[in-house]
Amino acid sequence: MLKVNQYFDGNVASIGFQTATLPATVGVMKVGEYEFGTSQFETMTVISGAISALLPNQTDWQTFKAHETFTVDANQKFKVKIDEETAYLCTYQDK
């Protein structure tokens, strides 16, 4: 069953689903800056566009482009800057 979520006044939208092995979301972010919190270990892959991320315990922003991936541990916060509409795939797992 698909679960549709919208965040930040509709500027971020995702559809949750179950892959063969892990729960996941696929979504789109409009131009803007957002802060997310995690409850599980997350692996985020950029599908199109780019995500500039300030990851936990880091002082420098990193930019991830299409087909690049980053991870965030459970119970962390991280910030993203989006300069063009960007699509992503995120998987979730307990670690």
Side-chain angles (χ1 to χ4, degrees), residues 33-89:
E33 295 186 23
Y34 310 103
E35 182 174 58
F36 294 97
T38 63
S39 59
Q40 294 179 288
F41 180 85
E42 297 186 10
T43 301
M44 185 169 286
T45 303
V46 179
I47 297 170
S48 68
I51 297 174
S52 293
L54 182 59
L55 299 174
N57 305 313
Q58 300 293 315
T59 56
D60 295 326
W61 290 81
Q62 300 174 63
T63 299
F64 300 90
K65 298 178 182 177
H67 311 292
E68 294 182 335
T69 298
F70 63 92
T71 61
V72 182
D73 286 331
N75 305 309
Q76 299 291 315
K77 290 188 179 204
F78 66 102
K79 295 180 181 180
V80 300
K81 291 182 191 175
I82 307 300
D83 292 328
E84 62 181 297
E85 289 192 359
T86 296
Y88 66 90
L89 170 69

Side-chain angles (χ1 to χ4, degrees), residues 2-3 5 13-17 24-28 45 47 87-92:
L2 300 178
K3 182 178 180 186
N5 293 302
S14 69
I15 300 172
F17 65 101
T25 56
V26 62
V28 176
T45 303
I47 297 170
Y88 66 90
L89 170 69
C90 188
T91 59
Y92 307 90

